[in-house]
Amino acid sequence: MDQALQGESLMEKPRRFDRNLVVIGAGAAGLVSAYIAAAVKAGVTLIEAGAMGGDCLNTGCVPSKALIKCARIAQQAREAEKFGVELSEPRVDFPRVMLHVRESIAAIEPHDSVERYTGLGVEVLQGRARLVDPWTVKIALNSGGEQVLTARAIILATGAEPLVPPLPGLDNVDFVTSDTLWEKFAGLDRVPEKLLVLGGGAVGCELAQAFARLGSRVTLVEKAERLLPLEEREVSEAVEQSLNAEGIEVFTAHEAVSFEKASAKVRAPDGERLLEFDQLLLALGRRARVSGFGLEALGIVEDGKLQTDPYLRTRYPHILAAGDLVGPHQFTHMAAHQAWYAAVNGLFGDLKKFAVDYSLVPRAVFVDPEAASVGLGEQQAAERNIPYEVTRYGIDDLDRAIVDGAARGFVKVLTVPGKDRILGVSIVGENAAELIAEFVLAIKHGLGMNKILGTIHIYPTMAEANKYAAGNWKRAHAPERILRLLERFHRWRRG
């Protein structure tokens, strides 16, 4: 027995278990894990201390996209004159905007509710879970009292929380994060006049644009040399150009070092500057939520980090983890993807186990125009010494984009030199997060550019951009020798 299990946590493995699986956390990873377990008729208990649906439903994907929709409507009203429709400057009723956010959450809540999962065969307990040994979970029930369960397998799906750095003066600033802004802003009559956003990742860029469109004067600060540093440089540049065009002041290669009540001192390569704000929004990333679950005592967490193997197993093979707690990609769709592996490996791993497939993870940034990517980018390919060719198609040439007033952006495809096999794709443009799906399918199933080109795409649609990108690839790889022979053949046929 490991030293971590000495003392009151020392316990032999039970001969019988109350459950086949206990899942801690009812976000995307936990919900899908519990659903799969119930579908294969395992005895499963799902434990959640807070709201069902986790961060995605309550403070992440759903509220942010509802806010972005309201902001887009406001921007469309401003741009209506381009289409011959004269409208005055839109008046933003911010309490009504926040009501739309809450109504959106409420409409989706039944999908993740206790009632739905109970109906699916999952026992749902609302309370705070703590592992007292590798097989035993003690639940402090929200309704009072405690319940203790033993489980043959346990899945940790506790999620992540916004990163708040220990910067001087930050404790004296009334800041918000992507988790807390929804509750605080629900009580505001209007958006903050001057909003400072720290962090130029997906969350920072999305919220900066949304609040600018709703009426805030927004300043965005990013420590890296460019926005969205994990994306292709062209994607970063396109997003920054869009933000600048809407009046957002963007400072890259700038780092906040200290705060006063309504100002931030920011260090830049050329010195320091002071940025004033009415409201500070921290969007500096998220860290795994590991404290308070008894994981440290079991030696599962060290220095605030939880380690898992390729099968999502911790140091105890029957204790697994999935979702934002694990990473490396903190996306809802990745959490759901990992949940399958966690559930199957937890229930059947002693018979057959499966390593998580991270080879194809699509991602999107829901700014306007959207940015979406899948597979390798040029930087990644170069770092791995993978040869590639680049094919581009400018969406400004696309008929549907032109008539929609959305003629901006591009499709960029990396392929194996001389072959049509797709290595990676980046798209910037209207509905890019939808357009990327065709390439995800193509890469997943080994379909190349020729197959995309040979597929009928409805005219006029944005999806034709994918076909035209394939057409550009085909033209660049035309069989010149055969074409010269055909030219001679047709000249001969003319007599």
Side-chain angles (χ1 to χ4, degrees):
M1 186 69 70
D2 191 277
Q3 287 184 352
L5 303 182
Q6 296 298 320
E8 63 179 11
S9 64
L10 180 62
M11 178 179 174
E12 296 295 330
K13 180 178 179 180
R15 293 184 179 181
R16 295 176 61 85
F17 299 96
D18 299 317
R19 303 288 184 272
N20 297 101
L21 181 66
V22 164
V23 181
I24 301 175
L31 290 169
V32 175
S33 296
Y35 174 88
I36 292 170
V40 296
K41 304 305 179 183
V44 55
T45 295
L46 175 64
I47 305 167
E48 173 58 61
M52 295 286 286
D55 298 328
C56 181
L57 172 63
N58 298 290
T59 61
C61 313
V62 171
S64 66
K65 302 314 170 279
L67 183 80
I68 288 169
K69 177 63 176 180
C70 295
R72 176 170 286 203
I73 293 295
Q75 189 68 13
Q76 288 172 338
R78 295 185 185 97
E79 297 173 352
E81 187 177 357
K82 294 191 301 183
F83 299 91
V85 179
E86 295 186 9
L87 299 174
S88 59
E89 174 68 20
R91 185 185 70 83
V92 175
D93 182 347
F94 192 62
R96 183 65 187 86
V97 169
M98 296 306 292
L99 177 60
H100 172 68
V101 171
R102 294 193 298 275
E103 288 175 341
S104 298
I105 295 171
I108 296 173
E109 273 179 340
H111 301 169
D112 300 342
S113 66
V114 172
E115 293 76 14
R116 177 172 184 240
Y117 276 80
T118 299
L120 291 170
V122 177
E123 179 189 39
V124 180
L125 298 179
Q126 296 184 284
R128 183 77 174 179
R130 182 171 65 88
L131 275 66
V132 296
D133 65 51
W135 301 277
T136 308
V137 180
K138 181 182 287 187
I139 307 104
L141 298 170
N142 290 353
S143 59
E146 290 184 342
Q147 185 168 343
V148 177
L149 294 174
T150 57
R152 194 176 185 281
I154 298 169
I155 293 178
L156 307 171
T158 56
E161 57 195 8
L163 182 63
V164 179
L167 294 175
L170 186 57
D171 289 343
N172 300 320
V173 175
D174 186 19
F175 65 85
V176 294
T177 68
S178 57
D179 278 8
T180 62
L181 76 86
W182 311 105
E183 183 176 356
K184 179 174 181 180
F185 283 17
L188 299 182
D189 292 332
R190 58 181 181 273
V191 294
E193 183 177 346
K194 291 185 292 184
L195 177 67
L196 174 61
V197 179
L198 294 188
V203 173
C205 290
E206 289 176 5
L207 293 178
Q209 186 182 55
F211 281 107
R213 289 177 161 192
L214 292 171
S216 292
R217 285 183 12 229
V218 178
T219 302
L220 176 61
V221 173
E222 167 55 44
K223 182 170 66 173
E225 66 169 11
R226 58 188 177 92
L227 300 178
L228 305 170
L230 298 180
E231 301 295 336
E232 291 269 61
R233 182 172 293 275
E234 291 163 276
V235 173
S236 299
E237 291 171 351
V239 170
E240 183 170 352
Q241 182 179 3
S242 296
L243 299 184
N244 286 332
E246 296 188 19
I248 298 170
E249 198 170 20
V250 177
F251 292 105
T252 55
H254 283 60
E255 182 179 9
V257 293
S258 65
F259 297 87
E260 297 292 340
K261 186 175 181 180
S263 64
K265 183 182 290 186
V266 177
R267 183 186 299 127
D270 58 351
E272 292 185 344
R273 58 167 36 96
L274 203 63
L275 300 177
E276 296 182 347
F277 57 83
D278 296 321
Q279 179 66 64
L280 173 66
L281 168 59
L282 300 182
L284 298 169
R286 300 174 70 82
R287 62 184 176 191
R289 190 179 287 120
V290 297
S291 298
F293 303 99
L295 307 183
E296 297 88 349
L298 296 180
I300 294 175
V301 171
E302 296 180 2
D303 298 325
K305 296 181 179 179
L306 181 145
Q307 301 295 331
T308 59
D309 68 9
Y311 309 98
L312 298 177
R313 302 178 304 179
T314 66
R315 62 178 300 180
Y316 302 99
H318 70 285
I319 301 179
L320 305 95
D324 288 0
L325 174 67
V326 179
H329 309 287
Q330 292 183 331
F331 308 139
T332 296
H333 49 282
M334 173 49 62
H337 178 69
Q338 287 180 327
W340 183 90
Y341 291 90
V344 170
N345 289 338
L347 294 170
F348 307 109
D350 54 343
L351 303 174
K352 183 175 176 58
K353 57 186 182 294
F354 300 86
V356 184
D357 179 6
Y358 294 110
S359 62
L360 199 62
V361 183
R363 58 192 182 274
V365 184
F366 293 91
V367 289
D368 184 15
E370 292 177 354
S373 304
V374 67
L376 290 178
E378 286 197 75
Q379 181 179 334
Q380 293 172 307
E383 290 171 352
R384 301 179 192 179
N385 295 315
I386 298 175
Y388 63 90
E389 293 180 348
V390 175
T391 300
R392 290 181 175 83
Y393 172 73
I395 292 177
D396 58 337
D397 184 60
L398 185 67
D399 291 3
R400 180 57 185 267
I402 292 170
V403 300
D404 282 357
R408 52 181 178 166
F410 57 85
V411 178
K412 176 181 176 181
V413 185
L414 272 62
T415 52
V416 174
K419 299 183 181 299
D420 76 336
R421 185 164 72 85
I422 302 166
L423 296 172
V425 182
S426 295
I427 303 177
V428 173
E430 188 89 3
N431 298 325
E434 312 288 342
L435 300 183
I436 201 76
E438 183 173 21
F439 284 109
V440 178
L441 180 73
I443 299 173
K444 174 73 173 177
H445 296 286
L447 306 177
M449 297 291 269
N450 283 311
K451 295 294 186 183
I452 291 176
L453 181 60
T455 299
I456 297 174
H457 292 65
I458 294 173
Y459 177 89
T461 60
M462 294 297 294
E464 285 187 296
N466 296 344
K467 180 171 183 174
Y468 292 143
N472 284 350
W473 178 89
K474 190 68 173 180
R475 278 190 293 275
H477 295 81
E480 295 298 333
R481 180 175 175 276
I482 293 175
L483 290 176
R484 285 194 298 270
L485 290 173
L486 286 172
E487 184 179 20
R488 291 170 59 186
F489 170 75
H490 289 302
R491 190 164 55 243
W492 173 78
R493 296 262 292 185
R494 291 196 301 267

